[in-house]
Amino acid sequence: QVQLVESGGGLVQPGDSLRLSCAASGRTARNYAMGWFRQASGKDREFVARISWSGDSTYYADSVKGRFTISRDNRKNTVYLQMNSLKPEDTASYYCAADLNAADLVAGRPHYWGQGTQVTVSS
């Protein structure tokens, strides 16, 4: 069993930066590929980024490539999403996800989900 708790969301202005954190509990959490999804109001949940269990492989949605960076610290069982150059269209609830199978995670079928943290980008 893996439990995921996100933090770090908030209200920022366009062009600002924000870092989200996802704390994973469970003795095997460090073995899981981890990722971030987001869901804007009235829209489907969409993939944002994922990182392998070791941290040596990352993958991003085209919409965030070059602006967002996913990383993890397995000593702390925590995954981060550094978001730079934020745009109003990045406004959404951001969800952390985990799965042993990275492909299932990217496809939107992770075994575990967090509860989400709201990010609002507005002037």
Side-chain angles (χ1 to χ4, degrees):
Q1 187 78 3
V2 175
Q3 294 180 328
L4 306 173
V5 179
E6 303 96 333
S7 62
L11 172 63
V12 296
Q13 295 186 341
D16 283 354
S17 297
L18 202 60
R19 189 177 80 159
L20 305 182
S21 299
C22 172
S25 63
R27 60 187 179 91
T28 62
R30 65 190 62 191
N31 296 331
Y32 283 70
M34 304 284 290
W36 290 93
F37 288 75
R38 66 186 182 186
Q39 186 168 21
S41 180
K43 295 188 177 181
D44 293 335
R45 191 173 296 188
E46 64 174 0
F47 168 78
V48 174
R50 73 100 177 116
I51 188 166
S52 62
W53 70 269
S54 64
D56 62 358
S57 173
T58 58
Y59 179 67
Y60 298 91
D62 288 343
S63 58
V64 306
K65 201 174 295 182
R67 299 189 299 123
F68 291 11
T69 301
I70 188 171
S71 61
R72 68 189 297 163
D73 184 342
N74 283 342
R75 297 167 301 174
K76 298 181 179 179
N77 279 355
T78 300
V79 175
Y80 305 97
L81 185 68
Q82 178 67 41
M83 304 184 294
N84 298 329
S85 302
L86 282 161
K87 305 175 181 180
E89 51 263 44
D90 293 318
T91 296
S93 292
Y94 283 71
Y95 297 88
C96 183
D99 200 286
L100 289 172
N101 187 310
D104 283 348
L105 189 154
V106 173
R109 300 187 301 269
H111 203 71
Y112 300 105
W113 289 102
Q115 292 300 307
T117 185
Q118 179 66 34
V119 173
T120 302
V121 184
S122 175
S123 55

